[in-house]
């Protein structure tokens, strides 16, 4: 298990290392005023810098070696111990962060959180999102004001829970949701800002955040662990269904991600070699240009628009916005697969809803629904559906970015009127759109869960709800990380275009 | 779901020879009559059984268009098997094989198993390349050869599975270092976990989730 996790090609990997090691200051790095303690401003937020791997880059083998060889019997405790163990040593190296993220991906997390809740006294997520579902089911003309109220409750719920986790993290010195905190940006901006301003714990934790070395490595390891687990436990069909990492792979997300990483790496090498071949004014000009292309990657703009109140449960609005954005890229890439997936997910949610009685406290309504004899959905079903939907949408998002990367490089000399820098801006907007959609989806699913599981005990429902929020938050992180991979690709495209133009 | 090995394949060859159709036939048992030009690379996966072991094939279907060449080259790395495809009704696609082969050999690992495929064997009346020519080319360059039809599914299973068998044999002979992922082979969870117990835990062949 441990030995087969070496990087795809050690030689090439080394090249990258060297390339990044020998260039003292990457010319394209974000401006250096990114300090961990800057309070997030209302309108903009800087992402942490993309740090090159440490010089003595420990090989991925070491990660897996230090991972608990989870024997079947003590599966759960292995996950827990491993997880907490790594989180305890987080921040020392990129590697431990990567491992910590791994521990939160796909599986085991609900146990981890459940444990965290009981041991650390974190408010129950069920409580936090419980108020939401009834309104959702009325489905009638009162959507406006009520919808908004509902928004706040559900979002506030997720944030409340995660924020309290983050303060616990701070006070205990353990990192719980490293990779996911960043994604909170997308789980409702307004609430976020309030929390960020009023919660030093959150700020601090967020500032400390470091990216994992490679995203696909994180996801691959998660998937492999899940496969290991399911192969040990063949009977557990339900478990298998809700394994994010495996599902992500089945939707070919991992393949697209690995390919995108490989393009991104090679683009970086090429960009660097072009830079080293230049000097003087020419070099300064190119550096300035590349900086401009980079800008949208370090600065995520949040518009203060009507997003919070928007009702778009069927994803029609999302599809339209995405289509518009794609056409602005002028790359003749469509997002049809993604929007189709989104539509299918909506249909599946609708199916669940129509088969679920509008469960108020009244018993008689329940009887009525029973008569309809529609197949009932269990909370586990809805949870599995949620996880698979999130995995699918994330995979399709990453596929889209990969397509864009390929076409951008292919078309570099093409006839696009739009500058590479502007393409980067549009792609940043698309990233935000996708992450918002993920958060909307997670909201729909948790509402569904609370409705379907209205008769369930908290112990059953809580981990499921928490799991959905966390995978949603992870999904948003993966999408943002995949977006980051486009930076060097667009820079190379810019160089190619300039060169072609000069000829 | 659980597998003993994962093999990465790459499908290469001129545009329009039927690479995507071969993949679709293999993973979904369908034929697509319209030519959807592949952009960059597409993916497919399927489980097969060899020697009682589950093997997952992760297949990279590349764009044949010349202009994508510089991008698709970067995907050759880390493939254990390659299907090099030409169209028996178009001589030019056969003539380009040498270039493809050079490219593949240069950008992949030296142990990669290459299967030469003359596709569209159902179009006998329009044949421009004789089967013997394909065989001769394969012999000369040390490739395995097969004629297929993505339309009728003739030999499609065999093409993918025989390539896997070849790779599997190389593993048994110790030619492949299975611990080096650059060879396009990974040991799966089943191998590590259930080798001794549970004979053929999940026997049936599975089509890789109809998602692509
Ligand atoms: N009769 C017949 N037609 C085929 C066969 N395989 C593919 N075709 C047709 O050939 C055309 C091209 O097939 P694709 O699989 O899309 O070609 P490709 O090699 O993937 O092309 P690129 O993606 O551009 O590299 C399509 O119209 C297919 O219907 C076959 O075995 N028999
Ligand atoms: Mg194709």
């Amino acid at each position: 298990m441990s030995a087969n996790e070496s990087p795809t090609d050690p030689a090439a990997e080394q090249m990258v290392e060297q390339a990044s090691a020998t260039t003292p200051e990457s010319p394209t790095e974000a401006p250096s005023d990114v300090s961990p303690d800057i309070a997030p401003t209302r309108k903009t937020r800087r992402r942490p810098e993309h740090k090159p791997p440490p010089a003595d880059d420990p090989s991925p083998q070491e990660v897996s070696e230090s991972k608990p060889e989870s024997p079947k019997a003590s599966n759960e405790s292995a996950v827990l111990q491993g997880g907490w163990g790594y989180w305890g040593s987080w921040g020392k190296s990129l590697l431990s962060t990567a491992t910590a993220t791994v521990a939160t991906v796909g599986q085991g997390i609900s146990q981890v959180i459940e444990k965290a809740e009981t041991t650390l006294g974190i408010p129950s997520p069920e409580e936090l999102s419980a108020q939401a579902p009834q309104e959702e089911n009325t489905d009638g003309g009162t959507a406006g004001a009520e919808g908004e109220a509902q928004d706040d409750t559900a979002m506030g719920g997720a944030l409340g829970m995660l924020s309290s986790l983050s303060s616990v993290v701070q006070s205990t010195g353990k990192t719980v949701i490293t990779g996911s905190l960043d994604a909170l940006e997308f789980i409702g901006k307004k609430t976020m800002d309030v929390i960020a301003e009023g919660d030093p714990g959150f700020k601090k934790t967020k500032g400390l955040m470091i990216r994992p070395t490679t995203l696909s490595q994180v996801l691959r390891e998660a998937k492999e662990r899940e496969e290991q687990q399911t192969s040990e436990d063949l009977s557990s069909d339900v478990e298998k269904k809700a394994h994010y990492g495996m599902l992500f792979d089945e939707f070919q997300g991992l393949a697209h991600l690995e390919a995108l990483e490989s393009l991104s790496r090679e683009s970086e090498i090429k960009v660097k070699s072009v830079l080293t071949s230049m000097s003087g004014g020419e070099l300064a000009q190119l550096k300035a240009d590349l900086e401009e292309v980079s800008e949208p990657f370090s600065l995520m703009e949040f518009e203060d628009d009507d997003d919070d109140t928007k009702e778009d449960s069927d994803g029609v609005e999302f599809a339209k916005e995405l289509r518009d954005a794609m056409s602005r890229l002028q790359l003749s890439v469509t997002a049809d697969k993604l929007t189709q997936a989104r539509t299918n997910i909506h249909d599946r949610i609708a199916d669940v809803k129509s088969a679920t009685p509008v469960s108020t406290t009244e018993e008689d309504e329940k009887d009525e629904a029973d008569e309809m004899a529609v197949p009932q959905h269990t909370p586990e079903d809805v949870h599995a559906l949620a996880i698979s939907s999130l995995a699918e949408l994330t995979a399709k998002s990453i596929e889209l970015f990969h397509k864009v990367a390929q076409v951008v490089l292919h078309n570099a000399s093409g006839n696009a009127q739009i500058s590479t820098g502007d393409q980067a801006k549009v792609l940043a907007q698309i990233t935000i759109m996708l992450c918002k959609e993920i958060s909307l989806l997670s909201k729909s699913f948790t509402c569904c869960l609370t409705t379907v599981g209205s008769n369930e005990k908290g112990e059953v429902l809580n981990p499921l709800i928490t799991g959905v929020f966390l995978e949603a938050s992870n999904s948003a992180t993966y999408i943002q990380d995949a977006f980051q991979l486009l930076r060097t690709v667009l820079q190379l495209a810019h160089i190619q275009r300039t060169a072609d133009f000069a000829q | 779901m659980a597998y003993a090995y994962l093999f990465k394949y790459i499908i290469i060859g001129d545009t329009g020879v039927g690479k995507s159709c071969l993949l679709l036939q293999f993973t979904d048992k369908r034929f697509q009559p319209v030519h959807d030009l592949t952009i960059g690379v597409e993916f497919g996966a399927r489980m097969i059984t060899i020697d009682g072991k589950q093997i997952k094939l992760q297949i990279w279907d590349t764009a044949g268009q010349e202009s994508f060449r510089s991008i698709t080259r970067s995907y050759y790395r880390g493939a254990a098997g390659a299907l090099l495809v030409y169209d028996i009704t178009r001589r030019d696609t056969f003539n380009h094989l040498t270039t493809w082969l050079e490219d593949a050999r240069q950008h992949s690992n030296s142990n990669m198993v290459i299967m030469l495929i003359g596709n569209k064997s159902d179009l006998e009346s329009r044949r421009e390349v004789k089967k013997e020519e394909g065989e001769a080319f394969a012999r000369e360059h040390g490739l395995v050869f097969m004629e297929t039809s993505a339309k009728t599914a003739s030999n499609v299973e065999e093409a993918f599975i025989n390539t896997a068998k070849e790779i599997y044999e190389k593993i048994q002979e110790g030619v492949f270092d299975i611990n080096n992922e650059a060879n396009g082979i990974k040991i799966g969870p089943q191998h590590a976990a259930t080798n001794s117990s549970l004979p053929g835990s999940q026997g049936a062949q599975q089509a890789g989730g109809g998602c692509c």
Side-chain angles (χ1 to χ4, degrees), chain B residues 15-16 18-21 31-33 35 37-38 64 119-120 122 150:
Chain B
T15 179
K19 298 182 295 297
S20 302
C21 288
F31 177 66
Q32 154 78 272
H35 184 191
L37 283 171
T38 300
N119 188 39
K120 309 200 186 179
D122 56 294

Side-chain angles (χ1 to χ4, degrees), chain A residues 8 12 249-250 402-403 410, chain B residues 1 42 56 67 75 77 182:
Chain A
T8 29
D249 182 43
E250 267 171 45
H402 180 213
K403 276 275 128 77
H410 173 248
Chain B
M1 188 103 337
E42 286 292 343
K56 180 171 174 177
S67 54
Y75 299 136
R77 218 165 42 132

Side-chain angles (χ1 to χ4, degrees), chain A residues 390-435:
Chain A
L390 289 169
E392 180 173 9
L393 215 57
T394 308
K396 292 285 181 273
S397 300
I398 287 166
E399 175 173 350
L400 182 66
F401 284 156
H402 180 213
K403 276 275 128 77
V404 165
Q406 297 180 100
V407 174
V408 130
L409 290 177
H410 173 248
N411 258 2
S413 51
N415 44 8
Q417 305 288 308
I418 183 174
S419 75
T420 320
D422 285 341
Q423 284 178 326
K425 280 182 200 144
V426 175
L427 286 163
Q429 287 161 6
I430 290 175
T431 305
I432 292 173
M433 251 179 245
L434 294 171
C435 292

